[in-house]
Amino acid sequence: MNDVSILEQARQKLPAELAERLQSLTAGKERWVAVLDVAALGGAERDAAMGDVRAAILSLAGAPGDVQIIATSERTAPASMHKPVMIAVGSGKGGVGKSTLTANLAVALAKSGVSVGVVDADIYGPSQPMLFGTTGEKPEARDEKLVPIASEHGVSLLSMGHLVAQGKALAWRGPMAGKALAQLIDAHWDADVVLVDLPPGTGDVQISMLQHFRPDGAIIVSTPQDLALIDAVRAGQLFDQGDIPIIGLVENMASYVCPNCGEVSDPFGSGGIEAAAERLDLPFLGRIPLSIAIRKDSDAGSPPALGDTPDGRAFAAIAQKLAAWLDKRG
Ligand SMILES: Nc1ncnc2c1ncn2[C@@H]1O[C@H](COP(=O)(O)OP(=O)(O)OP(=O)(O)O)[C@@H](O)[C@H]1O
């Protein structure tokens, strides 16, 4: 069954006003994801609309046991008119959790009703397809532009990993990487916000990419280790050079809570990024714990931000600060 036919079937089960509000319905492996326009509905009306849509979808033949309804408060403009707010997520060095943060911030924002896309610009190790469970899928092109892939977590996605085989782009120089990134950015985005997972570091490739796509803001992630911290500060200078507003710093792999005894320890130290933010007069957006569940869920293509767990809530808290920044920007 294709996505158009399930969308039509679901609409037929709904009153016309509600059918019109149901914007998309995507069949994922484990669950279906619906996007519902709730503009101008009060709290109770909105809950009732979401309940009716959920019931209609679950009554369809072939529906899974679970359906996620994403409420958006704006009717989606045609792709050609749409210019999403672009936010870069960078880090001074690799392996600090930049991709994990990008994916989970996107999911947490989508859960709160924002329509979100992710561009995976990390040519050294594109990991968003794995994080979103879309490995091996290829984006289609329309009018010579790519159409982002809809993941089953309510976030659409384009990755360097969709354009080149793993490891092939490693030798790219800055301008080539910038050109490839332009294809991912200048695509048929149907989202209000697009988070861009940059390659780690502060070299030529990153500078060229930033010059090409001029993000509206940047988030820098680091672990509390001193070395990573120094690198994160350097990444901050990279954005400063390009005059790109820094939305704030995030500390990843902070305190570890032992899943057996509950004891809290700080294997990489703690609080360093918050102190650095204060020193640099930058906002501190929050910390994500070092958690085995984050790694396991990420490897399994099920972003932890989907769940109402301490890990999920840590991502949601940072997403709220990002949403506040977006609101302020207007
Ligand atoms: N808070 C965390 N707790 C436990 N594991 C984590 C956490 N954050 C990230 N990881 C794990 O650390 C590894 C590196 O994370 P990730 O790929 O997000 O880093 P990155 O900075 O994007 O790396 P790269 O530079 O290679 O792209 C992954 O296996 C990921 O699952």
Side-chain angles (χ1 to χ4, degrees), residues 90-305:
S91 66
K93 66 167 204 172
V96 299
K98 176 178 48 57
S99 305
T100 308
L101 178 73
T102 308
N104 284 283
L105 274 187
V107 169
L109 271 183
K111 264 176 82 175
S112 73
V114 181
S115 67
V116 190
V118 166
V119 163
D120 182 2
D122 190 345
I123 53 179
Y124 303 115
S127 45
Q128 296 299 343
M130 177 195 81
L131 290 164
F132 280 99
T134 61
T135 305
E137 290 186 38
K138 292 277 170 235
E140 288 177 8
R142 191 170 10 104
D143 309 326
E144 297 184 6
K145 285 186 182 184
L146 294 172
V147 180
I149 290 173
S151 77
E152 61 183 282
H153 307 309
V155 173
S156 48
L157 169 76
L158 279 176
S159 169
M160 285 288 188
H162 294 133
L163 297 186
V164 284
Q166 185 96 25
K168 279 271 159 58
L170 274 171
W172 284 2
R173 306 201 57 85
M176 269 174 85
K179 262 195 194 154
L181 177 66
Q183 273 191 63
L184 303 184
I185 300 273
D186 187 24
H188 288 287
W189 287 107
D190 198 359
D192 296 325
V193 179
V194 171
L195 304 184
V196 183
D197 182 2
L198 285 178
T202 53
D204 278 2
V205 169
Q206 292 77 1
I207 291 173
S208 161
M209 281 188 166
L210 291 172
Q211 283 168 346
H212 258 91
F213 87 101
R214 305 215 50 78
D216 298 287
I219 292 175
I220 301 171
V221 56
S222 180
T223 65
Q225 279 167 297
D226 281 346
L227 196 67
L229 175 59
I230 293 164
D231 286 332
V233 172
R234 213 180 288 147
Q237 286 162 353
L238 171 77
F239 293 109
D240 272 357
Q241 274 171 20
D243 207 14
I244 294 153
I246 297 183
I247 301 165
L249 305 188
V250 172
E251 182 170 272
N252 187 31
M253 306 196 204
S255 299
Y256 175 70
V257 183
C258 171
N260 300 318
C261 69
E263 193 198 343
V264 180
S265 54
D266 297 314
F268 297 128
S270 179
I273 305 303
E274 188 167 8
E278 207 168 300
R279 219 171 39 242
L280 298 166
D281 202 18
L282 289 171
F284 177 66
L285 301 180
R287 53 176 61 89
I288 305 293
L290 177 69
S291 150
I292 292 171
I294 291 185
R295 194 189 54 72
K296 281 194 179 151
D297 290 351
S298 300
D299 285 356
S302 172

